[in-house]
Amino acid sequence: MGRWIWTDTTTDKQACRLWHAFDIPEGAVVSRATLYITVDNGFRLLLDGEEIGQGSDWRCISVFDLTWFLKPGHHVVAVE
């Protein structure tokens, strides 16, 4: 289960940007990589700077299969 991220101070039209960098070792094969996400009001999901999806309904979990995107090397997953 994931975590809910919030703050004590918010403003109108506030944008929140989160990212995580990770490395896949040379010679490794990713057999399965699935990302589940839900957010309040809307999101854009990016992998290595390329938008791979978006959504806007917090009542539904969006599911993204990242398996074919992940090769050995450095990667950054980001959510706005």
Side-chain angles (χ1 to χ4, degrees):
M1 183 58 82
R3 293 177 284 171
W4 185 259
I5 301 167
W6 202 252
T7 183
D8 293 334
T9 306
T10 60
T11 60
D12 288 342
K13 300 184 188 242
Q14 179 177 352
C16 182
R17 295 177 182 95
L18 307 170
W19 61 91
H20 179 75
F22 60 98
D23 294 300
I24 298 175
E26 192 64 38
V29 175
V30 176
S31 59
R32 183 182 219 179
T34 307
L35 187 140
Y36 299 86
I37 185 170
T38 186
V39 301
D40 193 2
N41 293 356
F43 73 89
R44 283 182 12 160
L45 176 64
L46 299 100
L47 180 65
D48 299 332
E50 298 292 326
E51 184 175 311
I52 58 173
Q54 52 183 279
S56 61
D57 189 350
W58 64 268
R59 295 167 293 190
C60 298
I61 296 176
S62 296
V63 181
F64 296 92
D65 182 358
L66 304 181
T67 307
W68 303 109
F69 296 101
L70 297 177
K71 307 293 183 215
H74 187 73
H75 299 281
V76 177
V77 63
V79 177
E80 177 179 68

